[in-house]
Amino acid sequence: MTAGQPLRTDPPSQQRRHAPPALHPAVVPSYPPPESDNDESWVWSQIKAEARRDADAEPALASFLYATVLSHPSLDRSLSFHLANKLCSSTLLSTLLYDLFVGSLAAHPTIRAAAVADLLAVRSRDPACAGFSHCLLNYKGFLAVQAHRVAHVLWAQNRRALALALQSRVAEVFAVDIHPAAAIGKGILLDHATGVVIGETAVVGDNVSILHHVTLGGTGKAVGDRHPKIGDGVLIGAGATILGNVLIGAGAKIGAGSVVLIDVPPRSTAVGNPARLIGGKKGDDMPGESMDHTSFIQQWSDYTI
C-alpha cells in the first residue's frame, strides 16, 4: 500500500473483473425500531439491509457497499473503515486511522452510543435522508462529528498533536471545523454542515440541530472559557453566529443569519443582527428535534409576500 492509499476490502467475486458481488435482495425494515430492540444492533441491521438493496439495484456501487458496509461485522468497524478512507492522506495513513478509530470506539462505548443516536436523529429530522446507510456513507456532518469525538478522546489523553492533526484533516475534507477540546453531546444533526465552526471551549448539548455556516466562536479578545454553551434541544438556523461565553438555554431557537452576543433563555427565540428576543414558548416541543424554523415569524415581522 502506498502512502495515503485507501483501505480496500474486495469481495471474492471481484476476481472476475466485471462481476459485482453476489448479494441477496432484502426488504428494508420499517422505521422506527421496536422499543424492545437494542438501538445499535437494530440500526446496524437496517444499514446492512439498505446496502444489500442498493447494491442489487445499482451494480456500480456494489463493490463500494461491500467494502464499506457488508464485509464488516459491526457498525463501529464499518464506520472506522469509512472514516479512515475519507480522511487518509500522505501523512495520515488509512491503516493508522483505522486502528485509531477502531480502538477509540472499542474503548469508549459512549462514542458508539452517540453515533447511533446521531444516525437516529438525522433519519428522523431530515426528510432528505434516504436511509441510515445514506447518512453513514454520505452525510459529511455526521462523519465530521464522529471523527471529532475521537479527536476529543485524543485531546483528553493529552495526545494533542494528533488531535489537532485530525481536526485539520476533518476541516479539509468535510469543511467542518470543530476544535478537539469542544464537548459535543449525542443526537446531533449538522444539516448540510458546510462552514460549521465550533470553538475550543464550546459545549453543545444533546439533541441539537445546527445548519450550515453556523459559528460558535469567541469575541476575539477573551481568553480562557470564551465560547458558547448550547443547551439540549436547541435549533440554530443557517448562517447564525453566536459569540462569547453565552448560554443558549434548552429548547431555544436561533433564527437564520442572527448574531447572538447575549444569553438566550430556555424555549426562547432570538432573531436579527444584533439578535433580539421575541418571547418564550410553552409545551414540550424541542426545536432541535422538531426542526421548526418559522413558527416565530409572525411575532417578528409583519412583512408578507
Side-chain angles (χ1 to χ4, degrees), residues 28 32 36 59 64-65 75-76 78 92 96 115 132 134 138 147 154 156 168 191 229 240 252 257 262 265 280 297:
V28 177
S36 59
F64 166 70
L65 291 168
L75 175 59
D76 58 303
S78 174
L92 287 173
L96 180 152
F132 292 106
H134 178 45
N138 301 320
L154 294 172
S168 176
D191 198 0
K229 310 298 182 283
I262 59 173
I297 199 69

Side-chain angles (χ1 to χ4, degrees), residues 96-114:
L96 180 152
L97 289 175
Y98 177 74
D99 290 342
L100 176 65
F101 292 136
V102 165
S104 297
L105 289 168
H108 300 275
T110 54
I111 298 180
R112 298 201 309 273

